[in-house]
Amino acid sequence: MWDDAFASFLIGLREGLEAGLVVSVLVATLVRAGARSRLPQVWTGVLAAIALSMSFGAVLTFTAASLSTTAQEAFGGGLSIVAVAFVTAMVFWMRRSARDLAGELKEKVTEALAMGAGVLVLTSFLAVGREGLETALFLWTTARAANESAGPMTGAGAGLVLAALLCWGLYRRVLRINLTRFFTVTGAVLVVIAAGVLGYGLRDLQEGGVLPGGTAYVFDLSGSVDAGSWYSALLQGVLNLTPAMTWLQVAGYAGYLAVVMTLFVGGVRAVRVVPGVRRRVRATPSRPGSGSPARPPGPAPVRPRWLLPVAVVAVPALLAWLVVALAHPKPTAGQTVAVSGTDCGRGFTAPKPGRQDFLMHNTGNQTSEVYLIDPSSNAVYGEIEGLAPGTTRDLVATVAGGTYAWRCVPAHGTAVTSKAVRVGGAAGAHAVVPVSERDLAAPLKAYRAYVERGLATLVTRTRKLSGDIRAGHLDTARTDWLTAHRTYASLGAAYGTFEDFDQRIDGRPDGLPGGVHDKDFTGFLRIEYGLWHGEPAAGLKGVAQQLAEDSAGLRKAFPHQDFDPSDLPLRAHEILENTLQFELTGDTDQGSGTGLATADANLAGTRELLAVLKPLLTPRAPRLLPTVDADIARLQKLLDSAHHGTRWTPVGRLDRAAKARLDGATGQLLEDLSPVPDLLEVRKSA
């Protein structure tokens, strides 16, 4: 998204322009000095700087990924502070140096020509490398703040491309830009952005336990501000202003902005009053009759031309690989652990902290479930389902300070828990608190009550629809059809929730020999086809009467239907999965054009389901529901924009951009809901 990309676009443009100006001046100076043969040395230094910057980005990414959640917060917060320091220094340096940048670079490159190839490579490497390292660090921190990399990387890429085009134009003398004014304006904007990065970094340090005050909020507007709105996304993406901020965040943000902006603006005024003095380029002795600097006599050493460029690119990449390999080691194998109903955990000794690869060997005669648990809380660190007798499978888990034990649950028998072992060091391994069928009993009861109330309403509304058709009031029937169908859709009828009743009440004609005219095509969609294709009331009376009877039959049967508690968390994902597959493709539309109305009802059903699951989800994933709530608000807003009084925009009439936004919002919501089944999976304990 552009709100996440803007800050990275600006840094990519500025840093790219700085580096591009350096390269442009170096190249122009060499060309004018008649030393085109030295251009490969400049490009070698540029390649080395790019390789170093990309390697630095890889080190940041992969070393942070190997840390615990708390350590990642502390690591990210610390680097955010470093990034702010770099950006601040860069802003003031460019404000001071933009006026004399070209003269200084010409002086340095002229000196380098006289001193040899190595110095020229080093000059271009140092000139570009500094900007590259700053860019890598700033991109890493902004991507972390945005919780995604696509937006920041897209913005940075666009900024770098634009910078390259501008530098090419300047080199060709097509463009003339007031660099002092450019760096002044962008510098002021970057000071504001850096203040937001500082606030984000301080919050990370609080969450990582490095700084206090993590729960002392100046304000918390998360309950009243729509986190999914465009203005909220813009403020968070560009300025890192969030609905809830601590006192330390606000103090750091405001203090940095007040001090640095005051110094920056004051420095700009001072530069305007007292113009900088241009440095004079010192002359370099040249050979008589030649425009190029003098070279020492003697033949140049012979070596392959490709050797130096390959070396300067390969060496940073190799060093980065070594750093990542040391910081993110492969799981340590070595423990083979027995699994059976009588000898669970034999061979298990206290492992070292870090990622471990346990070889689980089923020595019993039954298929078993295997869990690595904290015996004090039953929290699960890793699991294997369906480990057959005589087989061995890997179980990879991250171990930190704490107590660990194995729990083996045979298919037919009693669970056995091994002796616990203690691992020293700081806590930090991620575990999932298990859910039992008893835990799901209350949410299931609440959801069944919601469905039973909805079914009572459905019976009333389908009877009214049948009465409309029987009386020949087809215009009224169309309105009442939509009301009744939305009632049914809001009950979460996904993946066979209502068994055979769902096909009779809301089945599609797909696969039926006669299509929409097949005798087995019944229910809401059959009535929809007739009402919106001009069928007379006489032909729809029987179908409408059957729908009312099936609705009443479902209401009577539902209290006695078997509903597995473990299926309840799946509904959070499946309802909208059906919506994306059928309603948002227009597959279920039989002429009414009300697919988005059905999608709206499906969203209401999902919201109700999440409400009953909230007591179980909140302690297991505190950040999940706020994210999902923002996704729901975004999708609801898009659906509301297609609702005009009693009419809904048909899916087929949405313009391409609106359809893409709708699909994207639904897909994002589905992605954020995907952890729910794993978080609330019923794991065997006996």
Side-chain angles (χ1 to χ4, degrees):
M1 295 178 62
W2 177 245
D3 45 86
D4 289 334
F6 176 73
S8 299
F9 168 79
L10 194 61
I11 199 71
L13 177 61
R14 277 187 60 101
E15 298 284 10
L17 191 55
E18 288 181 41
L21 287 172
V22 170
V23 175
S24 298
V25 173
L26 290 175
V27 171
T29 304
L30 288 173
V31 170
R32 291 174 184 174
R36 289 179 178 271
S37 62
R38 311 291 290 275
L39 288 177
Q41 297 162 12
V42 174
W43 297 121
T44 297
V46 171
L47 283 175
I50 294 173
L52 178 65
S53 303
M54 296 180 68
S55 301
F56 180 55
V59 169
L60 289 177
T61 300
F62 290 106
T63 53
S66 66
L67 301 174
S68 66
T69 302
T70 302
Q72 285 186 37
E73 300 289 355
F75 181 72
L79 285 184
S80 295
I81 306 301
V82 174
V84 171
F86 273 135
V87 171
T88 305
M90 176 263 293
V91 165
F92 280 92
W93 182 83
M94 283 307 300
R95 187 207 63 198
R96 183 179 65 254
S97 304
R99 184 183 299 271
D100 301 320
L101 181 63
E104 292 181 7
L105 287 173
K106 288 177 182 178
E107 181 179 351
K108 290 179 181 178
V109 74
T110 305
E111 293 174 354
L113 278 169
M115 297 179 68
V119 176
L120 188 57
V121 171
L122 184 62
T123 300
S124 59
F125 170 77
L126 293 177
V128 178
R130 192 192 72 166
E131 277 72 27
L133 292 175
E134 290 177 355
T135 302
L137 180 57
F138 196 85
L139 282 180
W140 186 85
T141 55
T142 51
R144 179 178 171 82
N147 289 318
E148 57 100 12
S149 59
M153 292 301 294
T154 300
L160 290 171
V161 169
L162 180 57
L165 293 175
L166 289 174
C167 289
W168 180 85
L170 289 169
Y171 175 75
R172 292 292 184 181
R173 295 180 179 269
V174 175
L175 301 175
R176 293 183 179 274
I177 297 177
N178 186 325
L179 293 179
T180 302
R181 181 176 299 173
F182 173 83
F183 285 118
T184 297
V185 173
T186 58
V189 177
L190 276 177
V191 167
V192 177
I193 292 174
V197 174
L198 176 62
Y200 178 84
L202 292 174
R203 180 57 181 163
D204 266 0
L205 291 174
Q206 287 179 317
E207 293 181 349
V210 177
L211 295 177
T215 58
Y217 292 99
V218 178
F219 54 84
D220 186 355
L221 305 177
S222 53
S224 55
V225 173
D226 178 10
S229 62
W230 67 269
Y231 55 85
S232 180
L234 184 65
L235 289 175
Q236 292 184 62
V238 177
L239 304 179
N240 274 298
L241 291 174
T242 58
M245 296 185 70
T246 64
W247 283 100
L248 182 60
Q249 279 183 280
V250 172
Y253 190 105
Y256 173 90
L257 198 59
V259 173
V260 176
M261 188 63 80
T262 300
L263 293 174
F264 182 80
V265 173
V268 170
R269 291 174 179 171
V271 168
R272 288 175 179 172
V273 173
V274 184
V277 180
R278 296 181 182 270
R279 293 187 181 183
R280 300 180 60 185
V281 180
R282 292 179 296 176
T284 302
S286 304
R287 289 178 296 178
S290 171
S292 60
R295 295 182 181 180
V302 178
R303 63 170 179 265
R305 292 185 177 182
W306 53 265
L307 182 61
L308 185 59
V310 170
V312 298
V313 172
V315 169
L318 179 61
L319 292 175
W321 178 83
L322 289 173
V323 172
V324 171
L326 293 173
H328 194 66
K330 293 182 178 180
T332 303
Q335 287 199 37
T336 300
V337 182
V339 177
S340 75
T342 58
D343 197 17
C344 180
R346 179 167 53 85
F348 180 48
T349 58
K352 294 181 179 179
R355 297 182 73 217
Q356 303 290 333
D357 188 354
F358 300 100
L359 303 177
M360 312 305 299
H361 180 60
N362 190 341
T363 59
N365 57 7
Q366 295 188 54
T367 300
S368 296
E369 312 284 319
V370 189
Y371 305 107
L372 179 62
I373 65 169
D374 177 352
S376 62
S377 64
N378 289 321
V380 177
Y381 294 97
E383 64 183 299
I384 293 179
E385 297 181 354
L387 183 62
T391 61
T392 301
R393 284 164 58 185
D394 290 351
L395 189 153
V396 178
T398 300
V399 175
T403 305
Y404 298 84
W406 292 102
R407 177 165 292 159
C408 306
V409 187
H412 305 285
T414 305
V416 179
T417 302
S418 73
K419 182 180 178 180
V421 301
R422 177 72 186 175
V423 176
H430 177 69
V432 176
V433 179
V435 174
S436 66
E437 291 190 2
R438 180 179 299 178
D439 295 328
L440 285 170
L444 179 57
K445 182 179 179 181
Y447 189 65
R448 289 183 73 103
Y450 162 75
V451 173
E452 288 177 1
R453 291 193 300 272
L455 288 175
T457 304
L458 177 67
V459 170
T460 301
R461 290 178 174 172
T462 53
R463 286 174 178 170
K464 187 175 188 306
L465 172 62
S466 178
D468 293 338
I469 294 176
R470 189 167 55 251
H473 301 152
L474 297 188
D475 288 338
T476 305
R478 293 185 184 94
T479 301
D480 289 340
W481 175 90
L482 180 58
T483 303
H485 190 234
R486 280 169 53 82
T487 300
Y488 182 76
S490 68
L491 302 181
Y495 290 90
T497 301
F498 298 141
E499 300 177 351
D500 294 338
F501 281 100
D502 185 50
Q503 179 61 33
R504 300 205 296 268
I505 292 175
D506 203 35
R508 299 182 303 279
D510 306 350
L512 296 178
V516 294
H517 301 293
D518 196 279
K519 61 181 180 60
D520 291 327
F521 181 34
T522 61
F524 277 112
L525 301 189
R526 174 64 183 90
I527 296 174
E528 177 188 7
Y529 181 85
L531 288 175
W532 274 271
H533 284 82
E535 286 192 23
L540 295 174
K541 286 181 181 179
V543 182
Q545 180 62 32
Q546 185 62 50
L547 173 62
E549 292 176 1
D550 287 337
S551 299
L554 174 58
R555 181 190 180 190
K556 183 178 180 180
F558 179 73
H560 308 289
Q561 287 182 343
D562 185 22
F563 199 107
D564 188 344
S566 61
D567 286 344
L568 191 61
L570 294 173
R571 294 290 175 266
H573 191 271
E574 290 174 343
I575 296 172
L576 289 177
E577 196 172 67
N578 271 7
T579 303
L580 188 62
Q581 181 180 0
F582 298 117
E583 275 70 38
L584 296 187
T585 59
D587 184 69
T588 57
D589 186 9
Q590 299 299 324
S592 68
T594 57
L596 297 185
T598 306
D600 181 73
N602 288 338
L603 184 62
T606 301
R607 189 184 289 111
E608 182 67 28
L609 180 59
L610 291 172
V612 302
L613 293 175
K614 183 177 181 179
L616 296 178
L617 288 172
T618 300
R620 289 168 174 81
R623 297 184 180 182
L624 176 63
L625 285 181
T627 301
V628 168
D629 288 342
D631 292 341
I632 289 176
R634 184 180 301 115
L635 179 55
Q636 186 67 66
K637 186 175 181 180
L638 292 173
L639 291 171
D640 289 344
S641 66
H643 188 198
H644 313 285
T646 59
R647 295 183 299 104
W648 290 80
T649 303
V651 172
R653 294 184 185 176
L654 292 171
D655 62 65
R656 184 175 299 179
K659 181 64 165 59
R661 286 193 296 269
L662 194 59
D663 289 344
T666 308
Q668 183 63 55
L669 177 53
L670 278 170
E671 181 178 340
D672 291 333
L673 285 172
S674 61
V676 173
D678 289 333
L679 288 170
L680 302 185
E681 179 183 353
V682 176
R683 292 173 169 87
K684 296 179 180 179
S685 59

